[in-house]
Each structure stands twice: as C-alpha cells, then as structure tokens.
Amino acid sequence: MNILALLLALAPVFTGPDGRLQVRFEQDGAQLRYAVSYDGKTLLEPSGLGLQTNDADYTALTVVSSDTETLRDTYTLDRIKASRIDHPAVRGVLHCQNPDGRPLDIEWHLTDNDAAFRYCIPRDTETGSVRVLRETSAFRFPEGTTGFLTPQSDAMIGWKRSKPSYEEHYRFDVPLTERSQYGHGFTFPCLFRVGSDGWVLVSETGVDSRYCGSRLSDYDPVAGYTVAFPMPEENNGNGTVEPAFALPGATPWRTITVGADLAPIVETTIAFDVVEPRYEATRPYLYGKSTWSWIVWQDASMNHADQVAYIDLAAAMDFPYILIDAGWDQEFGHAGMEELVRYARSKGVEVFLWYSSSGWWNDIVQSPVNVMCDPLARKPEMRWMESIGVKGIKVDFFGGDKQETMRLYEHILSDADDHGLMCIFHGATLPRGWERMYPNYVGSEAVLASENMVFGQNHCDLEAQSACLHPFLRNSVGSMEFGGVFLNKRLNRANGAPGPGGRVFGTQRRTTDAAELAIAVLYQNPIQNFAITPNNLTDAPAAAMGFLREVPTTWDETRLIDGYPGRCIVLARRKGATWYVAALNAEEAPYSLDIKSIEARLGGSARILCTGSDGLQTISTPKKPLRLPKDDGAVLVIRPTNPSGF
Ligand code: CA
C-alpha cells in the first residue's frame, strides 16, 4: 500500500448522494472523530465517536479500512408525513479496532440531508452479550451556534411521580453554554442553528427492546454534547441504566439532519429510513379521526350519557373512532363497556380504551391500573377487547427511558397486534422510528399536549407559538398525539356560559378558528383525537366542522413553504392530488401570506379558510397577500387546475 492509499484508508470521507453533505473522519492519536459539512460549510466540528462495554473499551479506535456503496431507501408508510419514500442513499462502513485489536464497525447512512450512524459489535470472542457502560458519541458545534432545546426532567417528580415524560418547555435560540433546567441535558430531537451557515437536527432512531432511550448531555466546552443514558432514579429506581444486547449486535442510530434552510429539517424521513419492521402485522390497521370527552369535559364526563354524546358526535362528524379515557372500568365495568362498544359500533364508531401502564414506577390512581405492565393480566384483557370489537388502546404514564421500559412498549405493541389493537402512548418517551418498526403503533404524546391548555392559561397563550415550533422539532421525527384543535372559546363544558355567581370559568383560547384548522394540518398523528365537543355541532362555524370532516390525518407528501421555529409557519401537506397548506403566525408583527405564489409553486387554485370581519370565512384567492395577525392562521385547500397535473 503506498502512502497516499494509506492516508485515504485512515481518513475516509463519506459524501451524500448529491455531493453537498460530507462526513469526514480524523484520527487524533487513538481518538477517532467525525465532522459534518454541508455546501462546504462546517456544521459539526470534529466530534467524538466510540463506546465502552463491560467486555471491551472502544473509546479509542483506529480505522482499519472502510467501504461504501450506493443504494436507495425505498419503502411505503401509511401513517406519517409521506407515504412513499424513494431516494438515493450512501452506506459507509468504518471497520475499526481498539488498541487491543478488538474489531468494531461504525455503520453510516447518508441521504442528501441526513447522516446517521450506529455501532455494530461483532461476536469476536466467546463473549455472547454485552452491557454498554457509556457512549462517547458527541456533537460539537461551531462557535455562535444556538439551540432549540427542551430539558430532560428529574425522575419521579410531577403528577403522581410520573416524570420524565417529555412534557417540558422549549428554550429558543439559546447559546450552547446554557445549562438545562434540571441539569440532565436535553431530550431528542434537538435543533441547532449554526449562524447563517445552516441548521442541524440531532435525534436517534431504531430504539427497541434491545437498548435504552438516550438524550444529549449538557454542553461540555471540550467534548460538546454527548449521548447520555437514562438516570438511575427513573422507573422508581428499578432496572439498569446500562443497555445490554446479544452479539453480534448494534446500538440505535444517532441521526443528524442538515440543511442550508429549514425545509430538510421538517421534511426528513431519516427516523424511518434506517429501521425495519420488527414484526408483520396480523391484519391491516385503519387510521382517521376521533372524539374524546376527557380533554374538555374532563373526569366528570366518564358517564353513560356523556360517552353516548361523544359517540354521537363522532358519528355526526363521520369520524371512525372514539377514545374512552381513564376511569371507564370503575364507571361501567367490563359488562357495561361491552354494551357501550356495541352502541358505538351500531353508529359506525370504533373504540379505543385508556389504560395506565403502571406498575411500580409511579403513584397513578386513574384506572385501569396494573394491567398493561403484566403479561398475565394484559393478555386476557386484550383477548376480551378483541372479543367485543375494541380497536385500540391508549396506555399512559410510563416509567422513563430505561431499556426495561422500552421492552414494555415493545411487549405491549406485540401483544396488542395479536388482538388487532392499535397503540397510542401518553406520559411517554419520544417514538424512535416506531411508525415503521411496529405495524400497530399509532403515536405518542411526548409533548406538552392539549391537556395543559385546559389546566393553565399560559399554555393557551402559547398555543400558536407551540404550533409554530413542533413541525420543526418533535413532530418532525415522529407522530405526535397532541389531542388538540379546540373550537370552544373556553376550554370547559360551559364554554363561556356563566357559572355560580355569574362568573365565567375556564381557560380562554387565544387563537382564531382559522388558526385551529391550521393546527389540524400542522400537527400530524395518524389518529387525530380532536378536542371538539358536542356543542360545536351547533355553536362552531359550519365551515370549521366541514373542514374537520374533510381533513386527512396521514399524508403523501410534506413540504415546508416558509417559517421559523416558534414564530410562524407555512406548511403544505398533500393527500392524493390535493394540497392542504396551513399558515400560522405567533408573532406580534402580522405575517403576510402570499397565496398566489403558493398556488404557483404547488400548481392549482385555492379555497381559503381564513378570518373575516365576522369570524371564519371561505374565500377564493385574493388579489393581495393575506395579513395574519398574532394567533391567526389560514388553511388553503389547493386542487390542481389540471386534474392530471399530479
Ligand atoms: Ca400527558
């Protein structure tokens, strides 16, 4: 081997299919580092690679050889922001060894705007399984980079000691030196703005029963952010923080999405590109819209008359589902539930039932409890659900990110599929590729969701800001079970009618009806539990209810038109030949929405739902741009002028 070939072998460069994304490697003594650039601009400075197991230390690594191949990511998905993925990719493998000569491969997967990597440990000795003690994978950003970050909570705090549950506030555009609120770093995904050079979204995918969920540490001036494992206190202190797997085996993928602008951040499918289905579905699953009484009418609605009212609301809206939330077992018993399910199905409405996951990891009293955590109770319960025609479960209040909890998610999903049950998770971790990995997985909360708007006015005040944020972050990497879209003015049953003493109670919605319709498009979950109430059939604008009847919950394509996290967004989602474009403004300064240019870009003519002098109105394309004040939005339904145009 000549000197040049030797140097190339030691310092390979992996380049994305269109040549704009580059990952280069450097060897600093025994330390192997990687750096990421896009269009020649550095987005990640040389950052650490490596991990340590109980069997071998791979934190010092030397590249022995490398190889690359070009391939295509081609697959279909029925429940996210895109239905058919078909793009070129580059697979690169660094064959490394540690100073003791123990081999380790680092596998890379590059698309035009994503770089993902994972560690693959062979079975090179008698040892057939390992515990991973730590990972030194790091993310070092150029000076001046700012972050859009949400902290990992302390464990065993909050409602009935049920945290961490990914229900924390975001900090916007903060310097890297800013410490996380609880001192435990930040949960995925994390968004970074590298000055005017570009954007980077860091997350992970492919986490299943064979690993824990990870997060980013606080920023270290030398190492940068590193991959951190769960805290010992999670899951009530039960279960290890060191993930273990059989050899040969691999870690989950660390994902890095980059772009000169934000479109690749919103449109990425890397969370799904690099994972595989974990099992074949026992039957097809159908997605769509749902009603649920708990969100506005709360615990008091767990009674026969109110559940019937919400079943009838779903039927009137042509929604296929109702979610019957906590406490149903105490109110109806299993026999009463059989009767209610029979009634729902007679109206063409299928049923989801709520369960607590616990368990020994919180103090939850909402029932049913201690069913989903225990296979001996779970399996007969699921058989019963299948026998009466229940179609899904919502399981709430999980114990954190330890491997033990990831195992519980997977076991619930796998058992549920045996009985034709779809799964929604609340009080839960971020889904990491699960929409492709588990055929009956629907979506997870893992966000400060709609319930907080019922509990506190500040969450209503921030509703538009949140809806302008999540499409760039939380909802970019996975389905988000937000449970929103309110058409009540007050988020309670009275909806503005005076209560005792003539007082009006309840938190107050700040957004316009048009903004709420925009949120129905901005937030993506394959089953949308909308927060509408039976009174909305008569007191909400007919055009709003008509739009909610029409709006899809899964999409063929998603494109960012404009926006900035937390400030404003214009997002286009396509279903068949129709584009649904949602615009929302969270800033004091009005947003100017140029509908003609959007029509020209997407091809077609728009029907527009926006705010007029008398509230929600439907118009055709205006001559001038539409002016959206703070908390106002609009929806454009664009059908092709030439129907064969798509
Ligand atoms: Ca929650």
Side-chain angles (χ1 to χ4, degrees):
M1 189 182 271
N2 66 34
I3 298 282
L4 184 62
L6 182 71
L7 285 173
L8 284 174
L10 289 177
V13 176
F14 294 152
T15 304
D18 70 358
R20 299 173 73 180
L21 167 64
Q22 281 208 330
V23 182
R24 70 190 156 74
F25 300 91
E26 63 172 49
Q27 197 80 57
D28 179 5
Q31 302 300 313
L32 177 64
R33 299 201 175 91
Y34 76 102
V36 176
S37 65
Y38 189 75
D39 285 343
K41 290 173 175 157
T42 299
L43 297 182
L44 276 177
E45 308 263 12
S47 305
L49 287 168
L51 78 170
Q52 185 181 2
T53 74
N54 63 318
D55 181 54
D57 186 348
Y58 305 101
T59 57
L61 287 170
T62 307
V63 178
V64 177
S65 66
S66 67
D67 43 57
T68 62
E69 59 175 325
T70 54
L71 44 99
R72 281 194 90 78
D73 293 329
T74 307
Y75 60 95
T76 56
L77 260 184
D78 58 2
R79 79 200 82 157
I80 60 158
K81 57 184 158 183
S83 60
R84 178 168 175 74
I85 285 77
D86 184 13
H87 56 226
V90 171
R91 180 176 179 270
V93 182
L94 295 180
H95 305 287
C96 306
Q97 65 179 28
N98 76 0
D100 302 326
R102 300 289 299 276
L104 175 90
D105 283 352
I106 310 178
E107 184 181 355
W108 288 79
H109 188 100
L110 272 66
T111 71
D112 286 344
N113 290 91
D114 305 282
F117 66 93
R118 65 173 179 171
Y119 303 98
C120 305
I121 306 179
R123 183 169 182 170
D124 59 318
T125 68
E126 283 298 302
T127 305
S129 63
V130 290
R131 263 173 30 236
V132 181
L133 309 184
R134 67 190 177 109
E135 237 186 88
T136 48
S137 311
F139 307 87
R140 283 180 65 240
F141 289 93
E143 180 106 27
T145 298
T146 54
F148 296 73
L149 302 165
T150 187
Q152 175 64 311
S153 158
D154 282 332
M156 306 307 292
I157 64 163
W159 173 251
K160 304 288 184 189
R161 297 195 302 157
S162 61
K163 287 188 176 190
S165 51
Y166 289 59
E167 295 168 286
E168 308 299 323
H169 285 282
Y170 277 82
R171 300 273 290 149
F172 297 71
D173 253 333
V174 292
L176 303 182
T177 48
E178 177 147 317
R179 309 300 290 173
S180 60
Q181 184 185 345
Y182 299 93
H184 307 304
F186 305 96
T187 56
F188 291 127
C190 301
L191 179 64
F192 300 93
R193 180 184 176 175
V194 187
S196 56
D197 285 351
W199 293 83
V200 181
L201 186 72
V202 177
S203 193
E204 67 171 346
T205 191
V207 178
D208 59 25
S209 60
R210 296 166 295 188
Y211 218 78
C212 59
S214 302
R215 65 182 190 281
L216 289 189
S217 68
D218 273 310
Y219 201 73
D220 178 275
V222 178
Y225 296 102
T226 52
V227 169
F229 286 166
M231 303 167 283
E233 299 80 12
E234 290 177 42
N235 209 49
N236 206 10
N238 195 262
T240 178
V241 300
E242 296 165 350
F245 53 84
L247 299 181
T251 67
W253 295 87
R254 315 287 162 221
T255 67
I256 303 157
T257 302
V258 301
D261 58 39
L262 285 155
I265 304 296
V266 172
E267 297 165 16
T268 181
T269 55
I270 189 65
F272 317 109
D273 294 347
V274 290
V275 301
E276 294 283 337
R278 293 279 282 143
Y279 51 82
E280 215 171 292
T282 58
R283 67 210 80 193
Y285 294 100
L286 299 174
Y287 306 103
K289 289 159 283 193
S290 175
T291 60
W292 58 316
S293 71
W294 183 81
I295 185 59
V296 177
W297 288 10
Q298 296 275 286
D299 290 348
S301 67
M302 193 41 65
N303 64 72
H304 192 264
D306 287 354
Q307 293 310 311
V308 164
Y310 271 80
I311 290 166
D312 292 349
L313 173 63
M317 293 298 286
D318 300 321
F319 289 1
Y321 296 109
I322 180 173
L323 163 63
I324 300 180
D325 220 275
W328 60 265
D329 58 324
Q330 309 227 334
E331 178 65 24
F332 304 115
H334 281 56
M337 184 50 72
E338 292 187 32
E339 193 191 312
L340 201 54
V341 170
R342 207 176 303 124
Y343 175 74
R345 302 191 80 191
S346 78
K347 306 284 274 188
V349 178
E350 302 284 6
V351 175
F352 271 68
L353 289 182
W354 188 98
Y355 288 83
S356 164
S357 91
S358 54
W360 51 87
W361 41 86
N362 57 46
D363 305 321
I364 294 302
V365 291
Q366 280 84 359
S367 67
V369 295
N370 302 330
V371 177
M372 287 299 149
C373 57
D374 175 4
L376 305 188
R378 181 170 72 221
K379 290 179 181 190
E381 185 82 355
M382 288 180 169
R383 276 200 293 276
W384 167 74
M385 279 190 264
E386 183 178 15
S387 75
I388 66 167
V390 170
K391 288 293 184 279
I393 51 176
K394 169 183 173 181
V395 188
D396 211 335
F397 302 121
F398 284 83
D401 285 346
K402 287 179 178 175
Q403 183 172 10
E404 166 147 334
T405 307
M406 298 301 143
R407 218 176 269 142
L408 177 62
Y409 285 113
E410 187 170 281
H411 291 175
I412 291 173
L413 282 158
S414 151
D415 283 352
D417 179 55
D418 290 345
H419 299 286
L421 299 168
M422 291 178 270
C423 296
I424 294 170
F425 298 130
H426 268 234
T429 196
L430 178 78
R432 291 154 163 100
W434 295 358
E435 293 81 351
R436 190 172 178 202
M437 290 159 65
Y438 303 112
N440 55 326
Y441 170 73
V442 174
S444 300
E445 184 183 32
V447 65
L448 271 171
S450 57
E451 60 187 356
N452 296 286
M453 294 171 56
V454 177
F455 301 153
Q457 183 59 45
N458 62 320
H459 292 273
C460 289
D461 300 344
L462 294 173
E463 185 184 9
Q465 185 189 77
S466 299
C468 291
L469 178 71
H470 296 310
F472 298 98
L473 278 140
R474 165 68 184 83
N475 213 177
S476 176
V477 300
S479 300
M480 190 174 80
E481 228 288 290
F482 189 86
V485 181
F486 295 89
L487 292 175
N488 270 16
K489 306 286 185 212
R490 293 273 184 170
L491 306 191
N492 64 6
R493 188 166 188 155
N495 192 22
R503 277 186 61 196
V504 174
F505 293 89
T507 56
Q508 201 171 355
R509 179 158 64 87
R510 299 299 190 201
T511 56
T512 61
D513 290 342
E516 290 298 308
L517 302 186
I519 289 170
V521 176
L522 291 174
Y523 287 165
Q524 196 273 322
N525 202 61
I527 290 182
Q528 292 267 31
N529 288 294
F530 285 144
I532 56 168
T533 56
N535 51 289
N536 294 149
L537 286 170
T538 49
D539 65 11
M545 298 300 265
F547 180 76
L548 294 183
R549 277 191 188 92
E550 167 191 345
V551 66
T553 62
T554 61
W555 304 96
D556 292 318
E557 189 180 351
T558 292
R559 281 193 219 168
L560 180 70
I561 307 276
D562 190 24
Y564 192 93
R567 294 182 188 169
C568 59
I569 188 164
V570 182
L571 185 72
R573 298 195 193 268
R574 181 174 64 79
K575 186 74 172 181
T578 305
W579 285 99
Y580 292 79
V581 182
L584 187 62
N585 180 27
E587 294 257 279
E588 291 297 340
Y591 183 86
S592 175
L593 182 66
D594 184 353
I595 294 172
K596 277 191 182 304
S597 77
I598 296 171
E599 285 177 327
R601 179 165 165 189
L602 299 176
S605 54
R607 167 170 64 92
I608 301 141
L609 288 140
C610 60
T611 309
S613 48
D614 295 324
L616 188 70
Q617 61 173 3
T618 306
I619 60 171
S620 54
T621 311
K623 290 202 169 61
K624 287 190 200 159
L626 212 58
R627 186 177 171 278
L628 301 179
K630 183 176 192 288
D631 298 327
D632 194 14
V635 174
L636 283 52
V637 181
I638 301 182
R639 296 208 157 81
T641 326
N642 162 18
S644 61
F646 284 96

